[in-house]
Amino acid sequence: MRLVLLGPPGAGKGTQSARLVAKFGVPQLSTGDMLRSAAAAGTPIGREAKAIMDAGSLVPDDVVVGVIAQRIEAPDAEQGFILDGFPRTVAQARALGDMLAKKNLRLDAVVELAVDENALLARIEKRVAETLAAGGIVRADDNPESFKTRLEAYRAQTAPVSAYYAGKGELKQVDGMAPVDEVTSAIDRALCA
Ligand code: AP5
């Protein structure tokens, strides 16, 4: 299974990716997680990405495409992957298509979690509260100011990715406002359709 999950910040991509990983036995490739790990490790890519991510903007395409190009070559991604947070621009989507075409592969599905933007900040605030209650470290971009920038980046740069895949007849939309289990069932149905 080679699947892309699309949706704005807080739409539930990470939540549903974890369930798809368990179902299909392929890894979740979250560019956000990879970049946060690189930032925590202080690698050159991490150092370049950290300030951009903290502010809520998108990391440059060439950096993210390089990270994914390397990651999909790993043995655990041979049978497939769940892409969470990539592609986020049309240029990234085209680069992904080229990467797969070189390996005679294609995506099995592109699923978009459709959500009401007005509900997203509340989800992020809930995640912050839960993280603090568990004694964890809150993401540096989980604050109202960065969230506003994340949403603007989504509207300007990532929403066109949905249109790109819709134009190719590959986009499946699922109601991301339903409870988590119902979203999971809707994705299952979309993948069988
Ligand atoms: P990234 O880490 O990808 O963050 P994001 O897209 O902003 O998404 P989130 O992780 O906040 O949300 P999610 O959709 O995964 O929702 P979740 O399941 O956690 O990216 C961070 C940054 O990295 C970017 O801003 C950018 O700087 C950089 N970056 C990453 N990829 C890049 C790329 N390709 N190009 C350039 N830059 C890139 O759920 C959120 C909350 O809602 C949770 O509390 C959850 O429990 C709850 N929830 C989930 N589903 C439901 C539901 N159905 N009902 C109620 N609550 C729900």
Side-chain angles (χ1 to χ4, degrees):
M1 172 60 70
R2 292 179 182 83
L3 187 151
V4 167
L5 265 186
L6 295 175
K13 302 182 296 296
T15 303
Q16 297 300 330
S17 292
R19 292 172 174 220
L20 290 161
V21 162
K23 182 178 166 82
F24 292 109
V26 294
Q28 169 192 12
L29 309 189
S30 158
T31 37
D33 287 348
M34 290 180 218
L35 292 168
R36 278 185 289 278
S37 296
T43 67
I45 284 178
R47 285 200 300 273
E48 179 182 352
K50 186 171 180 352
I52 300 171
M53 294 174 75
D54 289 358
S57 301
L58 293 188
V59 173
D61 286 338
D62 59 334
V63 173
V64 188
V65 167
V67 167
I68 285 293
Q70 196 178 9
R71 183 63 184 87
I72 65 170
E73 292 299 332
D76 69 332
E78 210 167 280
Q79 297 306 313
F81 41 73
I82 311 297
L83 281 168
D84 162 9
F86 181 95
R88 244 174 163 103
T89 64
V90 172
Q92 292 179 19
R94 291 208 172 102
L96 174 64
D98 290 347
M99 270 178 233
L100 294 177
K102 277 189 196 137
K103 295 157 80 71
N104 282 323
L105 297 171
R106 61 191 300 278
L107 292 171
D108 294 296
V110 178
V111 175
E112 179 182 35
L113 301 176
V115 286
D116 173 357
E117 282 188 4
N118 295 319
L120 297 179
L121 184 57
R123 285 193 186 179
I124 297 296
E125 286 171 345
K126 185 165 157 267
R127 179 165 71 190
V128 168
E130 287 169 353
T131 303
L132 288 172
I137 297 168
V138 172
R139 268 172 55 171
D141 60 349
D142 269 356
N143 60 74
E145 199 180 324
S146 299
F147 186 76
K148 188 166 169 276
T149 308
R150 285 158 68 191
L151 213 45
E152 285 165 358
Y154 173 78
R155 289 188 199 120
Q157 293 166 275
T158 309
V161 176
S162 299
Y164 171 78
Y165 284 121
K168 289 160 67 82
E170 292 175 4
L171 187 73
K172 296 169 192 284
Q173 265 198 340
V174 162
D175 176 15
M177 293 306 293
V180 172
D181 287 348
E182 285 181 29
V183 178
T184 305
S185 301
I187 293 174
D188 284 348
R189 287 195 299 277
L191 294 180
C192 292

